Amino acid sequence: MDAHLLSQYVLSGIVIGLLYSLMALGITFIYSVMKMINWSMGEFYMIGSYVQYALLATVLGPERWYLALPLAMGTVFLLGLVVQRVLLRPMFVGMIERRDEYATVVTIALMVFFRNLAIVLGGPNQYAPRDYARPRMLGTLPISGNRFVALVATLILLGLFALAIKTTWVGRALRGAAQNRVGIQTAGIDVLRLDMLAFGVGVALAAAAGALLAPDFLVYPENGAISTFKGFEIIVIGGLGSIGGSVVGGLLLGVIEALGSVFLSAAYKDLYGFVLLIALLVFRPTGLFGERERTV
């Protein structure tokens, strides 16, 4: 294989890895602040893809794709606020004794509910948004217009997220809540509101991934299952709770899948990331950027 072709596969892996990292970032962000795993993240991804498709197909048209993405994110953000306020807040106000079990049951119930609701409303059909951008060249890699738009939008979202977390008061408060929930409450900050905001932002990132990947992975009730699987793979590779690890893990997974498909077999693409995951768990159980929990 010549260097030109190899560079194309590596670039392709980097592109898809960045798109994967949006989902993983949402999962690890919610975990960092609320200390819970949201098993229904794939369904928020699915809802984002449906909202984006519905807007493009009925109201906006494919030429206004740049409006559909923030509207899809905003819709899922508001839905996330309601879900957190009604279903998850009881965990943090002393109404639930076994918090971890409660979070698992509630988020799995949400997963089943949203999937069946999608089937009732849209049927078991698969939908694909129309192309809304022309094909481009990315270095040596010819890339579809939709995927190029998804790449640019992902880079912008990751940049805005990093900027907000590092420079704004709310971002610093969220980082403080991730490090010590009790400590930040002693400073007079309402950690329950931060929980609601973190959940809304986390699921909105998942919705963005769903909207951006809809042209490639299609829109149907179970399309969040694979993305959830990839997201959890990435956060284990990068380290649970590590935001930077989510991005690095996504890039690594994308490149491993791309190269494995070329040098081994494309039929086992999903297996290569799993092998990497097992290897990391053997040699570094905390992931690349995770830290071992300290107890006293």
Side-chain angles (χ1 to χ4, degrees):
M1 177 182 294
D2 61 30
H4 179 78
L5 198 54
L6 180 62
S7 68
Q8 287 187 339
Y9 287 118
V10 171
L11 275 174
S12 175
I14 290 173
V15 170
I16 195 67
L18 274 172
L19 297 176
Y20 285 161
S21 67
L22 266 186
M23 166 64 79
L25 182 61
I27 295 173
T28 204
F29 184 56
I30 291 173
Y31 175 83
S32 297
V33 177
M34 299 180 65
K35 310 303 180 194
M36 57 159 279
I37 297 290
N38 178 14
W39 296 101
S40 59
M41 281 297 278
E43 281 51 53
F44 288 101
Y45 167 102
M46 176 267 291
I47 294 170
S49 68
Y50 266 99
V51 172
Q52 191 245 21
Y53 173 77
L55 289 171
L56 293 181
T58 59
V59 181
L60 300 176
E63 66 275 6
R64 296 189 180 88
W65 57 267
Y66 51 87
L67 295 178
L69 176 62
L71 288 173
M73 290 181 68
T75 302
V76 176
F77 174 78
L78 294 176
L79 177 62
L81 296 186
V82 173
V83 167
Q84 199 281 338
R85 180 67 180 82
V86 175
L87 297 176
L88 299 176
R89 177 174 282 200
M91 294 190 310
F92 302 101
V93 293
M95 297 174 63
I96 306 295
E97 289 186 4
R98 305 179 69 170
R99 206 166 72 177
D100 292 340
E101 289 88 340
Y102 176 83
T104 301
V105 170
V106 167
T107 54
I108 289 177
L110 279 174
M111 177 178 69
V112 175
F113 172 74
F114 284 139
R115 281 191 193 181
N116 284 282
L117 183 63
I119 293 173
V120 170
L121 295 178
N125 311 310
Q126 292 186 340
Y127 304 94
R130 288 167 51 193
D131 289 343
Y132 40 73
R134 292 178 301 173
R136 306 292 178 91
M137 286 297 295
L138 182 66
T140 58
L141 177 70
I143 185 172
S144 73
N146 291 348
R147 186 166 287 196
F148 182 79
V149 166
L151 174 64
V152 172
T154 299
L155 290 172
I156 292 173
L157 287 174
L158 291 176
L160 290 175
F161 179 83
L163 191 66
I165 287 294
K166 288 187 176 179
T167 63
T168 65
W169 182 90
V170 174
R172 287 193 288 272
L174 286 165
R175 285 161 55 199
Q179 293 173 7
N180 191 322
R181 290 176 63 86
V182 176
I184 200 167
Q185 283 177 293
T186 61
I189 296 175
D190 187 347
V191 75
L192 294 177
R193 287 192 178 182
L194 289 181
D195 286 345
M196 196 157 63
L197 180 63
F199 194 84
V201 170
V203 297
L205 289 172
L212 293 170
L213 289 173
D216 284 336
F217 293 170
L218 306 181
V219 180
Y220 55 99
E222 291 85 16
N223 70 354
I226 292 294
S227 64
T228 303
F229 176 72
K230 302 283 186 192
F232 282 111
E233 257 187 292
I234 290 168
I235 61 173
V236 175
I237 291 171
L240 190 59
S242 169
I243 290 175
S246 301
V247 178
V248 175
L251 290 172
L252 195 56
L253 180 64
V255 172
I256 290 289
E257 285 186 350
L259 295 182
S261 299
V262 176
F263 291 108
L264 298 173
S265 168
Y268 303 107
K269 186 185 78 169
D270 293 331
L271 182 64
Y272 306 133
F274 187 68
V275 171
L276 172 65
L277 176 65
I278 296 296
L280 268 173
L281 287 176
V282 170
F283 295 105
R284 189 173 171 77
T286 57
L288 293 176
F289 297 91
E291 295 182 358
R292 192 179 297 277
E293 186 176 351
R294 296 182 176 89
T295 57
V296 294

